[in-house]
Amino acid sequence: MRKAGFPIIHILAIALLVVVAFSSCNESGTGILYSIKNEVAYGDNDLDNDLTIAGFFALSGRYYAVSGRLFGRDSATDVWTPVAPPTDDSGAQFLITSATPLGSLIYVVATSVDGGTSRLYSYDPAADVWSPPIDVDSDGAASEQIVSVVASGAGGLIVNTRAGALEYASYASSDGEVFSAVTLPVTTSPVTHATGFAGTTWIIAGGRLYADSSGAFAAVTDAGAPGGDETFLIGLFAYTDLDALLILAADGTLYAYDGAAWLTSIELLGESISAGETTSLSGLTLSSGEHVVLIGADQG
């Protein structure tokens, strides 16, 4: 039995047969949001219920979860297997604090137990091999102040590094090998989410939404877009089947953008997840071919 009060993963199954466009008619008049219908608690498994899941994704028929270590399982089983983390020259092991796939590899941030060193590595699941630490700022040495790595949504990565006590720098790569600096409108917060949609790169940094369609990021201030001092954004996902950009706020409100206009926000899961308890928004394709949106939540 799963103990109350610990993180669980909710799956909002989006059945392709009932997918409707923004212009479709329905009870609420908001087609895409109306088509997100069934909340399903992802059943118990052999992961410790005390774990907090910091990341979840699929790659080559396997699912992966990040929680201090990288765990993997085949899509047809409920058995999660920890991946042995990389080690440094002294043989000391690291905690995995962030991870995302690119191509056939998984890129992770491995942090020393004392928090003094955080490096970027790539992992090849097919060969069960870790790369040497990766240099992202082109100084000729492995970067040791990596904060996080996120998928850019444009077939690449964005890596956040600590540049000072309250300063961050970000670097982008299309192949995981060559990185270039990214100029962002905010340097006091790392990029937490990124994706591409409608010819534009969208990011969340410091809980705010920014977009780049012409080589420079700017705050999104369109009518109906999520924003304001009281709106803190925690999830971003381009859902191609519905041709929409989905954005989740910390109060459980879902926003949707169809490339031209923003839909009126709605309460995502009503009373099943209270305000402030939602933790993440992501998406993947199951082995059955069904597409899902994953929403993490702390729920009693």
Side-chain angles (χ1 to χ4, degrees):
M1 295 293 291
R2 181 170 293 277
K3 294 177 285 186
F6 294 111
I8 62 175
I9 294 177
H10 289 269
I11 298 181
L12 300 185
I14 302 181
L16 298 183
L17 293 178
V18 299
V19 168
V20 290
F22 276 92
S23 59
S24 300
C25 296
N26 52 60
E27 293 179 4
S28 66
T30 55
I32 180 176
L33 299 180
Y34 184 66
S35 69
I36 299 176
K37 61 187 190 77
N38 296 323
E39 179 202 356
V40 180
Y42 187 73
D44 213 348
N45 53 69
D46 66 336
L47 279 181
D48 191 326
N49 288 336
D50 291 346
L51 291 179
T52 296
I53 304 301
F56 188 86
F57 54 89
L59 177 66
S60 302
R62 287 178 60 84
Y63 298 143
Y64 292 90
V66 179
S67 184
R69 298 186 72 175
L70 182 65
F71 295 88
R73 75 168 179 85
D74 292 331
S75 58
T77 74
D78 290 329
V79 179
W80 292 88
T81 303
V83 176
T87 59
D88 64 12
D89 294 338
S90 69
Q93 292 189 335
F94 292 83
L95 299 175
I96 304 301
T97 56
S98 179
T100 192
L102 176 63
S104 62
L105 303 179
I106 299 173
Y107 287 79
V108 310
V109 176
T111 303
S112 60
V113 175
D114 63 6
T117 300
S118 296
R119 298 169 178 162
L120 181 70
Y121 294 83
S122 67
Y123 174 67
D124 184 344
D128 191 24
V129 172
W130 290 96
S131 73
I134 298 172
D135 175 22
V136 301
D137 55 11
S138 301
D139 65 355
S143 302
E144 297 192 343
Q145 295 296 318
I146 305 294
V147 176
S148 59
V149 57
V150 298
S152 69
L157 305 170
I158 293 179
V159 176
N160 299 295
T161 67
R162 194 177 301 279
L166 295 175
E167 294 289 327
Y168 297 88
S170 297
Y171 299 86
S173 174
S174 61
D175 58 9
E177 297 181 2
V178 179
F179 289 81
S180 58
V182 178
T183 301
L184 301 175
V186 57
T187 60
T188 55
S189 299
V191 176
T192 56
H193 302 80
T195 193
F197 179 74
T200 297
T201 299
W202 306 77
I203 66 169
I204 293 175
R208 298 295 183 89
L209 182 65
Y210 302 89
D212 174 14
S213 58
S214 58
F217 282 98
V220 177
T221 58
D222 302 339
D229 293 338
E230 297 182 357
T231 303
F232 192 88
L233 305 179
I234 61 172
L236 175 66
F237 179 58
Y239 200 87
T240 55
D241 286 340
L242 298 181
D243 195 22
L245 180 70
L246 303 181
I247 298 174
L248 182 65
D251 64 1
T253 301
L254 180 70
Y255 299 82
Y257 179 66
D258 68 353
W262 292 89
L263 273 71
T264 302
S265 60
I266 65 169
E267 188 67 18
L268 183 61
L269 292 177
E271 296 181 354
S272 63
I273 295 182
S274 301
E277 290 184 342
T278 48
T279 60
S280 64
L281 169 69
S282 60
L284 77 165
T285 301
L286 300 179
S287 58
S288 63
E290 184 179 31
H291 299 273
V292 299
V293 175
L294 300 175
I295 296 177
D298 291 327
Q299 181 179 357

